[in-house]
Protein backbone atom coordinates (compact mmCIF):
# COMPACT_ATOMS: atom_id res chain seq x y z
CA UNK A 1 0.00 0.00 0.00
CA UNK A 2 1.46 3.38 -0.95
CA UNK A 3 2.60 5.40 2.06
CA UNK A 4 3.90 8.94 2.31
CA UNK A 5 7.09 8.50 0.17
CA UNK A 6 5.17 6.80 -2.64
CA UNK A 7 2.33 9.35 -2.58
CA UNK A 8 4.87 12.17 -2.53
CA UNK A 9 6.63 10.62 -5.57
CA UNK A 10 3.27 10.59 -7.35
CA UNK A 11 2.60 14.18 -6.30
CA UNK A 12 5.96 15.34 -7.68
CA UNK A 13 5.22 13.59 -10.97
CA UNK A 14 1.75 15.13 -11.18
CA UNK A 15 3.14 18.54 -10.33
CA UNK A 16 5.60 18.24 -13.22
CA UNK A 17 3.07 16.89 -15.73
CA UNK A 18 -0.35 18.36 -15.04
CA UNK A 19 0.18 21.68 -13.27
CA UNK A 20 -1.23 24.39 -15.51
CA UNK A 21 -3.19 21.91 -17.63
CA UNK A 22 -6.87 22.36 -18.39
CA UNK A 23 -9.27 19.46 -17.92
CA UNK A 24 -11.07 19.08 -21.23
CA UNK A 25 -13.20 16.15 -20.18
CA UNK A 26 -13.43 13.91 -17.12
CA UNK A 27 -14.75 10.36 -17.52
CA UNK A 28 -15.54 7.79 -14.84
CA UNK A 29 -15.50 4.09 -15.77
CA UNK A 30 -15.99 2.32 -12.45
CA UNK A 31 -18.59 3.13 -9.77
CA UNK A 32 -16.04 2.84 -6.94
CA UNK A 33 -13.64 5.30 -8.54
CA UNK A 34 -15.71 8.13 -7.11
CA UNK A 35 -15.96 8.28 -3.32
CA UNK A 36 -19.48 8.37 -1.91
CA UNK A 37 -18.47 11.59 -0.12
CA UNK A 38 -17.85 13.37 -3.41
CA UNK A 39 -19.84 16.59 -3.53
CA UNK A 40 -20.15 16.46 -7.33
CA UNK A 41 -19.50 14.13 -10.29
CA UNK A 42 -16.05 14.16 -11.92
CA UNK A 43 -17.57 15.93 -14.91
CA UNK A 44 -17.99 19.03 -12.71
CA UNK A 45 -14.25 19.52 -13.22
CA UNK A 46 -14.59 19.91 -16.99
CA UNK A 47 -12.97 23.17 -18.10
CA UNK A 48 -11.12 23.60 -14.79
CA UNK A 49 -7.42 24.38 -14.86
CA UNK A 50 -5.17 22.48 -12.46
CA UNK A 51 -3.16 25.09 -10.59
CA UNK A 52 -1.35 22.98 -8.01
CA UNK A 53 -0.95 19.47 -6.60
CA UNK A 54 -0.78 19.13 -2.83
CA UNK A 55 -0.58 16.37 -0.27
CA UNK A 56 -1.13 15.62 3.38
CA UNK A 57 -0.16 12.18 4.63
CA UNK A 58 -1.40 9.71 2.02
CA UNK A 59 -4.00 12.08 0.54
CA UNK A 60 -3.35 14.02 -2.65
CA UNK A 61 -5.37 16.82 -4.13
CA UNK A 62 -5.39 18.77 -7.35
CA UNK A 63 -6.23 22.42 -6.82
CA UNK A 64 -8.45 23.96 -9.53
CA UNK A 65 -8.68 27.52 -10.72
CA UNK A 66 -12.44 27.38 -10.07
CA UNK A 67 -11.87 27.72 -6.37
CA UNK A 68 -12.75 26.19 -3.99
CA UNK A 69 -13.20 22.97 -6.05
CA UNK A 70 -10.47 20.35 -5.68
CA UNK A 71 -10.00 16.75 -6.76
CA UNK A 72 -8.90 14.64 -3.79
CA UNK A 73 -7.34 11.22 -4.37
CA UNK A 74 -6.40 8.31 -2.17
CA UNK A 75 -4.43 5.53 -3.81
CA UNK A 76 -5.74 2.82 -1.48
CA UNK A 77 -3.88 -0.45 -2.08
CA UNK A 78 -3.05 -0.11 -5.75
CA UNK A 79 -4.17 3.26 -7.13
CA UNK A 80 -1.90 4.79 -9.77
CA UNK A 81 -1.94 7.98 -11.80
CA UNK A 82 -0.57 7.65 -15.31
CA UNK A 83 0.12 10.19 -18.01
CA UNK A 84 -0.88 8.64 -21.33
CA UNK A 85 -0.97 9.70 -24.96
CA UNK A 86 -4.43 10.40 -26.33
CA UNK A 87 -4.06 7.49 -28.76
CA UNK A 88 -3.38 5.02 -25.98
CA UNK A 89 -6.06 2.38 -25.44
CA UNK A 90 -7.72 2.30 -22.05
CA UNK A 91 -5.98 -0.01 -19.60
CA UNK A 92 -8.26 -2.72 -18.08
CA UNK A 93 -7.64 -1.23 -14.61
CA UNK A 94 -8.33 2.33 -15.70
CA UNK A 95 -11.15 3.63 -13.43
CA UNK A 96 -11.27 7.25 -14.53
CA UNK A 97 -9.64 9.39 -17.18
CA UNK A 98 -9.12 13.09 -17.60
CA UNK A 99 -8.38 14.43 -21.04
CA UNK A 100 -6.10 17.36 -20.35
CA UNK A 101 -4.69 20.12 -22.49
CA UNK A 102 -1.48 21.99 -21.92
CA UNK A 103 -0.81 24.60 -24.56
CA UNK A 104 -1.63 22.70 -27.75
CA UNK A 105 -0.71 19.32 -26.39
CA UNK A 106 -3.44 16.98 -25.23
CA UNK A 107 -2.93 13.88 -23.13
CA UNK A 108 -4.74 11.67 -20.63
CA UNK A 109 -4.34 11.70 -16.91
CA UNK A 110 -5.60 8.22 -16.02
CA UNK A 111 -6.42 6.72 -12.65
CA UNK A 112 -5.71 2.99 -12.60
CA UNK A 113 -6.66 0.84 -9.65
CA UNK A 114 -6.47 -2.93 -9.79
CA UNK A 115 -7.95 -3.61 -6.36
CA UNK A 116 -10.39 -0.67 -6.32
CA UNK A 117 -9.71 0.48 -2.75
CA UNK A 118 -8.47 3.83 -4.06
CA UNK A 119 -10.84 6.67 -4.86
CA UNK A 120 -11.28 10.13 -6.28
CA UNK A 121 -13.49 12.79 -4.76
CA UNK A 122 -14.60 16.26 -5.75
CA UNK A 123 -14.40 18.40 -2.64
CA UNK A 124 -14.05 21.99 -1.49
CA UNK A 125 -11.06 23.64 0.09
CA UNK A 126 -11.54 25.04 3.53
CA UNK A 127 -8.60 26.87 5.10
CA UNK A 128 -6.27 25.38 2.51
CA UNK A 129 -7.30 21.75 3.03
CA UNK A 130 -10.11 19.67 1.49
CA UNK A 131 -13.04 19.65 3.95
CA UNK A 132 -13.34 15.86 3.99
CA UNK A 133 -9.77 15.33 5.20
CA UNK A 134 -9.49 18.20 7.66
CA UNK A 135 -9.29 15.65 10.52
CA UNK A 136 -6.11 14.11 9.07
CA UNK A 137 -3.11 15.19 11.13
CA UNK A 138 -0.02 16.87 9.69
CA UNK A 139 2.66 14.52 8.40
CA UNK A 140 6.34 14.73 9.37
CA UNK A 141 7.23 16.34 6.00
CA UNK A 142 4.92 19.29 6.72
CA UNK A 143 6.78 22.41 7.80
CA UNK A 144 4.14 23.00 10.47
CA UNK A 145 4.61 19.50 11.93
CA UNK A 146 4.90 19.88 15.71
CA UNK A 147 7.25 17.15 16.96
CA UNK A 148 6.90 18.03 20.63
CA UNK A 149 3.13 17.92 20.48
CA UNK A 150 3.16 14.56 18.68
CA UNK A 151 5.54 13.13 21.31
CA UNK A 152 3.19 14.31 24.05
CA UNK A 153 0.19 12.77 22.31
CA UNK A 154 2.07 9.49 21.76
CA UNK A 155 2.95 9.37 25.46
CA UNK A 156 -0.70 9.71 26.34
CA UNK A 157 -1.68 6.73 24.15
CA UNK A 158 -2.67 3.60 26.02
CA UNK A 159 -2.01 1.44 23.03
CA UNK A 160 0.83 -0.42 21.34
CA UNK A 161 3.36 1.93 19.77
CA UNK A 162 2.90 0.56 16.25
CA UNK A 163 -0.84 1.12 16.42
CA UNK A 164 -0.22 4.69 17.63
CA UNK A 165 2.22 5.32 14.76
CA UNK A 166 -0.45 4.32 12.26
CA UNK A 167 -3.07 6.63 13.77
CA UNK A 168 -3.60 9.13 10.93
CA UNK A 169 -5.34 11.56 13.32
CA UNK A 170 -2.15 11.87 15.37
CA UNK A 171 0.46 11.94 12.61
CA UNK A 172 -0.28 11.06 9.01
CA UNK A 173 1.61 9.31 6.23
CA UNK A 174 3.03 6.32 8.07
CA UNK A 175 1.74 2.88 7.11
CA UNK A 176 2.77 -0.69 7.80
CA UNK A 177 6.08 -0.69 5.93
CA UNK A 178 7.64 2.49 7.32
CA UNK A 179 6.26 1.86 10.83
CA UNK A 180 8.15 -1.47 10.91
CA UNK A 181 11.29 0.10 9.46
CA UNK A 182 11.27 3.09 11.84
CA UNK A 183 10.68 0.87 14.89
CA UNK A 184 13.65 -1.29 13.87
CA UNK A 185 15.85 1.78 13.45
CA UNK A 186 14.79 3.09 16.87
CA UNK A 187 15.17 -0.42 18.45
CA UNK A 188 11.60 -0.39 19.74
CA UNK A 189 9.37 -3.47 19.82
CA UNK A 190 6.16 -2.89 17.80
CA UNK A 191 3.99 -4.19 20.67
CA UNK A 192 5.49 -2.04 23.39
CA UNK A 193 2.92 0.25 24.98
CA UNK A 194 3.32 3.85 23.79
CA UNK A 195 2.88 5.27 27.30
CA UNK A 196 5.87 3.24 28.53
CA UNK A 197 8.28 4.92 26.11
CA UNK A 198 10.37 7.85 27.32
CA UNK A 199 10.37 11.21 25.62
CA UNK A 200 13.86 10.44 24.34
CA UNK A 201 12.81 7.09 22.87
CA UNK A 202 9.84 8.70 21.13
CA UNK A 203 12.06 11.49 19.78
CA UNK A 204 14.44 8.85 18.40
CA UNK A 205 11.46 7.08 16.84
CA UNK A 206 10.13 10.23 15.14
CA UNK A 207 13.61 10.96 13.78
CA UNK A 208 13.71 7.39 12.45
CA UNK A 209 10.28 7.85 10.83
CA UNK A 210 11.42 11.00 9.01
CA UNK A 211 14.76 9.57 7.97
CA UNK A 212 13.43 6.30 6.61
CA UNK A 213 10.69 8.08 4.65
CA UNK A 214 13.17 10.62 3.25
CA UNK A 215 15.48 7.82 2.11
CA UNK A 216 12.52 6.03 0.54
CA UNK A 217 11.45 9.17 -1.29
CA UNK A 218 14.96 9.51 -2.71
CA UNK A 219 14.69 5.95 -4.02
CA UNK A 220 11.33 6.74 -5.64
CA UNK A 221 9.43 4.76 -2.98
CA UNK A 222 8.94 1.09 -2.23
CA UNK A 223 7.37 -1.11 -4.92
CA UNK A 224 7.09 -4.10 -2.66
CA UNK A 225 4.05 -5.70 -4.27
CA UNK A 226 4.56 -4.13 -7.72
CA UNK A 227 1.30 -2.23 -7.31
CA UNK A 228 2.98 1.11 -6.86
CA UNK A 229 4.42 3.11 -9.76
CA UNK A 230 4.95 6.80 -10.39
CA UNK A 231 3.12 8.73 -13.14
CA UNK A 232 5.56 7.43 -15.75
CA UNK A 233 4.84 3.83 -14.78
CA UNK A 234 8.26 3.47 -13.10
CA UNK A 235 8.66 1.57 -9.84
CA UNK A 236 10.69 2.70 -6.83
CA UNK A 237 13.60 0.67 -5.50
CA UNK A 238 13.56 1.25 -1.74
CA UNK A 239 12.44 -2.36 -1.16
CA UNK A 240 16.14 -3.23 -1.60
CA UNK A 241 16.90 -1.15 1.50
CA UNK A 242 14.17 -2.55 3.74
CA UNK A 243 15.64 -3.97 6.96
CA UNK A 244 12.67 -5.88 8.37
CA UNK A 245 9.50 -5.48 6.29
CA UNK A 246 8.98 -8.59 4.18
CA UNK A 247 12.26 -10.07 5.48
CA UNK A 248 11.00 -12.77 7.82
CA UNK A 249 13.75 -15.30 8.67
CA UNK A 250 16.47 -13.12 7.14
CA UNK A 251 19.33 -12.12 9.41
CA UNK A 252 19.06 -8.75 11.12
CA UNK A 253 21.79 -6.57 9.59
CA UNK A 254 22.57 -5.17 13.04
CA UNK A 255 22.83 -8.27 15.22
CA UNK A 256 22.49 -11.35 12.99
CA UNK A 257 19.39 -12.75 14.71
CA UNK A 258 16.48 -13.79 12.53
CA UNK A 259 13.74 -11.28 11.68
CA UNK A 260 10.39 -12.36 13.02
CA UNK A 261 6.90 -11.77 11.67
CA UNK A 262 3.89 -11.55 13.98
CA UNK A 263 0.24 -10.91 13.33
CA UNK A 264 -0.84 -7.29 13.54
CA UNK A 265 -4.55 -6.56 12.95
CA UNK A 266 -5.23 -8.17 9.57
CA UNK A 267 -1.61 -7.69 8.50
CA UNK A 268 1.84 -8.33 9.97
CA UNK A 269 4.60 -6.71 11.97
CA UNK A 270 8.22 -7.50 11.19
CA UNK A 271 10.94 -6.92 13.78
CA UNK A 272 14.16 -8.23 15.28
CA UNK A 273 13.39 -10.00 18.59
CA UNK A 274 16.97 -9.47 19.73
CA UNK A 275 17.54 -5.75 19.22
CA UNK A 276 13.95 -4.58 19.56
CA UNK A 277 13.19 -5.67 23.12
CA UNK A 278 9.68 -5.50 24.51
CA UNK A 279 10.99 -5.24 28.14
ZN1 LIG B 1 18.74 -7.30 15.46
Amino acid sequence: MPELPEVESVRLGLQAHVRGAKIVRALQFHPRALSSESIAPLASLDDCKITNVQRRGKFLWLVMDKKPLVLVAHLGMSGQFRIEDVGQARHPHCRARFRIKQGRRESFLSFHDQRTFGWLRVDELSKGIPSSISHIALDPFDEKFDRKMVIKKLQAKRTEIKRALLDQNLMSGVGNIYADEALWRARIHPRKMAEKLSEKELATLLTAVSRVMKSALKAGGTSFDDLYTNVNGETGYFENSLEVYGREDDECSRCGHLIKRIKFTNRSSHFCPHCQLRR
Side-chain angles (χ1 to χ4, degrees), residues 252 255 272 275:
C252 169
C255 72
C272 170
C275 54

Side-chain angles (χ1 to χ4, degrees), residues 200-219:
K200 199 180 157 195
E201 286 174 306
L202 289 168
T204 304
L205 179 58
L206 286 190
T207 302
V209 164
S210 294
R211 286 193 180 152
V212 73
M213 293 204 299
K214 269 186 195 152
S215 305
L217 177 61
K218 269 192 194 159

Side-chain angles (χ1 to χ4, degrees), residues 184 187 244 251-259 271-276:
W184 179 85
R187 299 174 186 253
V244 283
E251 283 178 12
C252 169
S253 71
R254 200 159 46 199
C255 72
H257 284 72
L258 299 186
I259 303 297
F271 68 104
C272 170
H274 183 252
C275 54
Q276 288 170 265

Side-chain angles (χ1 to χ4, degrees), residues 213-270:
M213 293 204 299
K214 269 186 195 152
S215 305
L217 177 61
K218 269 192 194 159
T222 298
S223 304
F224 191 77
D225 46 14
D226 289 331
L227 289 176
Y228 156 73
T229 66
N230 68 16
V231 296
N232 298 316
E234 298 156 352
T235 56
Y237 53 89
F238 192 70
E239 59 273 21
N240 303 327
S241 307
L242 295 175
E243 295 283 357
V244 283
Y245 186 84
R247 294 200 46 200
E248 186 185 12
D249 292 335
D250 282 359
E251 283 178 12
C252 169
S253 71
R254 200 159 46 199
C255 72
H257 284 72
L258 299 186
I259 303 297
K260 210 174 154 184
R261 180 165 71 94
I262 53 171
K263 235 176 117 90
F264 171 76
T265 61
N266 56 350
R267 293 188 281 165
S268 306
S269 283
H270 306 78

Side-chain angles (χ1 to χ4, degrees), residues 64-207:
M64 305 291 160
D65 63 341
K66 282 186 190 164
K67 281 176 186 167
L69 278 193
V70 288
L71 177 70
V72 187
H74 194 283
L75 303 177
M77 303 286 283
S78 57
Q80 303 177 352
F81 277 108
R82 293 286 184 89
I83 306 295
E84 296 165 341
D85 290 331
V86 282
Q88 201 163 324
R90 185 152 62 88
H91 189 278
H93 300 144
C94 179
R95 310 300 182 204
R97 229 176 190 191
F98 300 85
R99 190 173 178 119
I100 55 171
K101 191 173 182 180
Q102 212 152 15
R104 283 186 188 172
R105 196 169 175 268
E106 293 202 14
S107 49
F108 281 127
L109 169 63
S110 294
F111 182 65
H112 297 188
D113 191 8
Q114 185 182 338
R115 298 174 70 176
T116 68
F117 288 106
W119 48 257
L120 304 172
R121 173 190 295 161
V122 180
D123 196 359
E124 284 189 338
L125 275 188
S126 161
K127 291 179 190 165
I129 181 121
S131 303
S132 61
I133 59 163
S134 57
H135 61 287
I136 299 294
L138 296 180
D139 63 62
F141 283 20
D142 197 304
E143 53 185 34
K144 291 188 195 132
F145 182 74
D146 186 344
R147 244 176 98 89
K148 278 190 181 154
M149 189 202 62
V150 172
I151 289 173
K152 267 206 179 120
K153 285 191 172 173
L154 282 170
Q155 273 182 318
K157 281 271 177 188
R158 293 190 170 175
T159 180
E160 294 169 354
I161 184 61
K162 178 161 173 191
R163 202 176 286 269
L165 272 185
L166 298 182
D167 182 350
Q168 304 294 303
N169 298 324
L170 206 151
M171 167 175 75
S172 64
V174 183
N176 211 27
I177 297 179
Y178 299 111
D180 283 2
E181 293 298 307
L183 287 164
W184 179 85
R185 287 183 178 214
R187 299 174 186 253
I188 297 170
H189 193 288
R191 303 201 69 178
K192 186 151 181 173
M193 295 303 280
E195 58 184 345
K196 287 194 175 161
L197 289 161
S198 68
E199 203 178 315
K200 199 180 157 195
E201 286 174 306
L202 289 168
T204 304
L205 179 58
L206 286 190
T207 302

